[in-house]
mmCIF file of all heavy atoms in Angstrom:
data_model
loop_
_atom_site.group_PDB
_atom_site.id
_atom_site.type_symbol
_atom_site.label_atom_id
_atom_site.label_comp_id
_atom_site.label_asym_id
_atom_site.label_seq_id
_atom_site.Cartn_x
_atom_site.Cartn_y
_atom_site.Cartn_z
ATOM 1 N N THR A 154 -14.410 1.857 1.697
ATOM 2 C CA THR A 154 -13.847 2.688 2.776
ATOM 3 C C THR A 154 -14.545 4.048 2.748
ATOM 4 O O THR A 154 -14.576 4.749 3.759
ATOM 5 C CB THR A 154 -12.334 2.864 2.616
ATOM 6 O OG1 THR A 154 -12.044 3.242 1.268
ATOM 7 C CG2 THR A 154 -11.579 1.587 2.954
ATOM 8 N N ALA A 155 -15.141 4.390 1.609
ATOM 9 C CA ALA A 155 -15.948 5.620 1.518
ATOM 10 C C ALA A 155 -17.241 5.506 2.322
ATOM 11 O O ALA A 155 -17.989 6.474 2.419
ATOM 12 C CB ALA A 155 -16.265 5.947 0.055
ATOM 13 N N GLY A 156 -17.489 4.344 2.904
ATOM 14 C CA GLY A 156 -18.599 4.187 3.843
ATOM 15 C C GLY A 156 -18.198 4.579 5.255
ATOM 16 O O GLY A 156 -19.010 4.534 6.177
ATOM 17 N N PHE A 157 -16.933 4.961 5.417
ATOM 18 C CA PHE A 157 -16.414 5.375 6.729
ATOM 19 C C PHE A 157 -15.879 6.796 6.749
ATOM 20 O O PHE A 157 -15.817 7.423 7.787
ATOM 21 C CB PHE A 157 -15.259 4.453 7.162
ATOM 22 C CG PHE A 157 -15.715 3.110 7.628
ATOM 23 C CD1 PHE A 157 -15.705 2.031 6.758
ATOM 24 C CD2 PHE A 157 -16.156 2.921 8.921
ATOM 25 C CE1 PHE A 157 -16.116 0.778 7.184
ATOM 26 C CE2 PHE A 157 -16.570 1.671 9.358
ATOM 27 C CZ PHE A 157 -16.555 0.593 8.489
ATOM 28 N N ARG A 158 -15.386 7.257 5.586
ATOM 29 C CA ARG A 158 -14.758 8.583 5.581
ATOM 30 C C ARG A 158 -14.977 9.230 4.225
ATOM 31 O O ARG A 158 -15.179 8.563 3.220
ATOM 32 C CB ARG A 158 -13.259 8.461 5.874
ATOM 33 C CG ARG A 158 -12.543 7.710 4.802
ATOM 34 C CD ARG A 158 -11.055 7.928 4.779
ATOM 35 N NE ARG A 158 -10.506 7.182 3.652
ATOM 36 C CZ ARG A 158 -9.375 6.515 3.671
ATOM 37 N NH1 ARG A 158 -8.632 6.505 4.741
ATOM 38 N NH2 ARG A 158 -8.971 5.881 2.591
ATOM 39 N N GLY A 159 -14.919 10.562 4.240
ATOM 40 C CA GLY A 159 -15.135 11.294 3.002
ATOM 41 C C GLY A 159 -13.846 11.523 2.235
ATOM 42 O O GLY A 159 -12.772 11.585 2.824
ATOM 43 N N GLY A 160 -13.977 11.617 0.920
ATOM 44 C CA GLY A 160 -12.833 11.985 0.081
ATOM 45 C C GLY A 160 -13.279 13.101 -0.843
ATOM 46 O O GLY A 160 -14.447 13.135 -1.254
ATOM 47 N N PRO A 161 -12.378 14.025 -1.162
ATOM 48 C CA PRO A 161 -12.766 15.134 -2.024
ATOM 49 C C PRO A 161 -13.338 14.632 -3.353
ATOM 50 O O PRO A 161 -12.802 13.683 -3.937
ATOM 51 C CB PRO A 161 -11.450 15.891 -2.264
ATOM 52 C CG PRO A 161 -10.442 15.301 -1.367
ATOM 53 C CD PRO A 161 -10.954 14.021 -0.822
ATOM 54 N N GLY A 162 -14.395 15.247 -3.813
ATOM 55 C CA GLY A 162 -14.951 14.895 -5.125
ATOM 56 C C GLY A 162 -15.906 13.720 -5.096
ATOM 57 O O GLY A 162 -16.432 13.317 -6.134
ATOM 58 N N SER A 163 -16.133 13.149 -3.907
ATOM 59 C CA SER A 163 -16.941 11.927 -3.889
ATOM 60 C C SER A 163 -18.223 12.093 -3.075
ATOM 61 O O SER A 163 -18.666 11.149 -2.412
ATOM 62 C CB SER A 163 -16.117 10.761 -3.342
ATOM 63 O OG SER A 163 -15.845 10.952 -1.971
ATOM 64 N N ILE A 164 -18.842 13.257 -3.171
ATOM 65 C CA ILE A 164 -20.018 13.536 -2.338
ATOM 66 C C ILE A 164 -21.131 12.501 -2.527
ATOM 67 O O ILE A 164 -21.671 11.950 -1.555
ATOM 68 C CB ILE A 164 -20.538 14.994 -2.584
ATOM 69 C CG1 ILE A 164 -21.675 15.332 -1.638
ATOM 70 C CG2 ILE A 164 -20.958 15.252 -4.018
ATOM 71 C CD1 ILE A 164 -21.237 15.645 -0.242
ATOM 72 N N ALA A 165 -21.462 12.196 -3.772
ATOM 73 C CA ALA A 165 -22.561 11.257 -4.024
ATOM 74 C C ALA A 165 -22.140 9.827 -3.698
ATOM 75 O O ALA A 165 -22.877 9.065 -3.063
ATOM 76 C CB ALA A 165 -22.999 11.355 -5.480
ATOM 77 N N TYR A 166 -20.932 9.462 -4.121
ATOM 78 C CA TYR A 166 -20.431 8.101 -3.885
ATOM 79 C C TYR A 166 -20.340 7.824 -2.384
ATOM 80 O O TYR A 166 -20.781 6.786 -1.897
ATOM 81 C CB TYR A 166 -19.063 7.961 -4.552
ATOM 82 C CG TYR A 166 -18.485 6.566 -4.516
ATOM 83 C CD1 TYR A 166 -18.922 5.577 -5.398
ATOM 84 C CD2 TYR A 166 -17.491 6.219 -3.600
ATOM 85 C CE1 TYR A 166 -18.390 4.297 -5.368
ATOM 86 C CE2 TYR A 166 -16.959 4.945 -3.558
ATOM 87 C CZ TYR A 166 -17.408 3.981 -4.458
ATOM 88 O OH TYR A 166 -16.869 2.704 -4.414
ATOM 89 N N THR A 167 -19.777 8.777 -1.644
ATOM 90 C CA THR A 167 -19.620 8.604 -0.201
ATOM 91 C C THR A 167 -20.979 8.502 0.479
ATOM 92 O O THR A 167 -21.196 7.641 1.349
ATOM 93 C CB THR A 167 -18.799 9.772 0.385
ATOM 94 O OG1 THR A 167 -17.509 9.743 -0.231
ATOM 95 C CG2 THR A 167 -18.645 9.660 1.891
ATOM 96 N N ALA A 168 -21.923 9.362 0.074
ATOM 97 C CA ALA A 168 -23.273 9.289 0.649
ATOM 98 C C ALA A 168 -23.868 7.904 0.412
ATOM 99 O O ALA A 168 -24.441 7.285 1.320
ATOM 100 C CB ALA A 168 -24.164 10.362 0.018
ATOM 101 N N SER A 169 -23.697 7.395 -0.792
ATOM 102 C CA SER A 169 -24.303 6.093 -1.113
ATOM 103 C C SER A 169 -23.635 4.966 -0.337
ATOM 104 O O SER A 169 -24.297 4.021 0.097
ATOM 105 C CB SER A 169 -24.223 5.824 -2.625
ATOM 106 O OG SER A 169 -22.893 5.560 -3.040
#
Side-chain angles (χ1 to χ4, degrees):
T154 48
F157 285 97
R158 64 161 182 220
S163 68
I164 185 77
Y166 186 78
T167 299
S169 71

